[in-house]
Amino acid sequence: VMLEGLGGDTPVIEVSAKAGKNIKELLELILLVSDLHQNTDISKLENEKLNAVVIESKLDTRSGPLATVVIKEGTLFVRDEIICEGQEGKVRSLVNDKGQRMQSATVGEAVEVLGFEKAPAVGGIVLKKSEIEQALRSPRQFGDLQRQSPNVSQVYSQVSQSLNEPS
C-alpha cells in the first residue's frame, strides 16, 4: 500500500473514534474515493466489447422470445443491436432479477433481454452486431476474415472464439 504522502494513491487521515476526531472528514473522504473509482470503472466498462452468455431462454406467449444473459465483459444498452449464434435482435428491454426495467447492464449482472427474433440457445455468446461489423473491417484483430468474404455466422464464431481465448 502506497500512501498519498509517499507518492501513492491511498489517502491518509488521522482519526479517533474515542475522541470523535475527523470522523466526518473520514466519511467524506470515503465517499470521494468511492466516486472517483466508480466513475473510472464505469467508463472502462462502457468502452469494452460486449461478451455475454445466455443462461436461460424461453418463448413467452405475451412478449415473445426472452433470454436471460450474464454480462461477462462490456455493457449492454437498450436499443443495442445484438446477435447470438445467428439469432439477431434489437434490445427492446432489460429486466433485472428484481423485475425492474434497466437502461443498461454491466459486468456481473444477469438481465432478461427482450428483442431477439427467436429464442437463442442456452450457452450462446451474445455480441453487439456493430462489433461483428467492425471485425469485418479490421481483419488483423480477428484473422483474415475479409479475404474469405465471410457470412455473419462465420464472423460470429471467429469473434466469440477470440473472446474466449485466454489473454
Side-chain angles (χ1 to χ4, degrees):
V1 176
M2 290 294 293
L3 304 176
E4 271 183 340
L6 302 173
D9 62 351
T10 304
V12 178
I13 188 166
E14 186 179 334
V15 178
S16 171
K18 192 174 188 178
K21 181 180 176 186
N22 289 339
I23 300 297
K24 188 174 183 179
E25 289 80 2
L26 174 65
L27 294 173
E28 288 174 5
L29 187 60
I30 290 170
L31 290 173
L32 175 67
V33 170
S34 172
D35 286 344
L36 289 174
H37 286 290
Q38 204 171 33
N39 290 340
T40 326
D41 293 343
I42 289 171
S43 63
K44 284 181 187 174
L45 292 175
E46 288 177 357
N47 295 331
E48 282 186 24
K49 293 183 179 180
L50 177 68
N51 182 9
V53 179
V54 177
I55 59 170
E56 183 181 5
S57 180
K58 63 184 176 183
L59 182 59
D60 189 53
T61 55
R62 289 187 193 149
S63 49
L66 292 172
T68 303
V69 301
V70 174
I71 311 296
K72 290 174 64 177
E73 292 178 88
T75 305
L76 180 62
F77 295 95
V78 172
R79 292 187 296 281
D80 277 348
E81 291 184 3
I82 54 176
I83 186 166
C84 178
E85 296 183 1
Q87 301 299 327
E88 295 185 25
K90 185 173 183 177
V91 180
R92 290 190 285 162
S93 79
L94 296 171
V95 179
N96 67 9
D97 58 336
K98 297 174 184 140
Q100 301 166 333
R101 287 186 178 247
M102 305 171 63
Q103 290 300 309
S104 65
T106 59
V107 175
E109 292 183 313
V111 289
E112 194 172 65
V113 177
L114 174 64
F116 281 102
E117 292 174 352
K118 295 180 182 176
V122 173
I125 305 292
V126 179
L127 304 170
K128 287 185 183 177
K129 198 172 178 183
S130 61
E131 293 167 3
I132 292 177
E133 291 167 354
Q134 180 183 3
L136 282 170
R137 290 189 296 271
S138 59
R140 290 170 293 183
Q141 191 175 12
F142 300 106
D144 352 26
L145 293 172
Q146 231 170 12
R147 282 184 269 158
Q148 299 171 3
S149 64
N151 62 27
V152 172
S153 63
Q154 289 171 328
V155 174
Y156 172 84
S157 64
Q158 187 74 22
V159 171
S160 60
Q161 283 176 2
S162 72
L163 287 172
N164 291 325
E165 291 174 356
S167 308

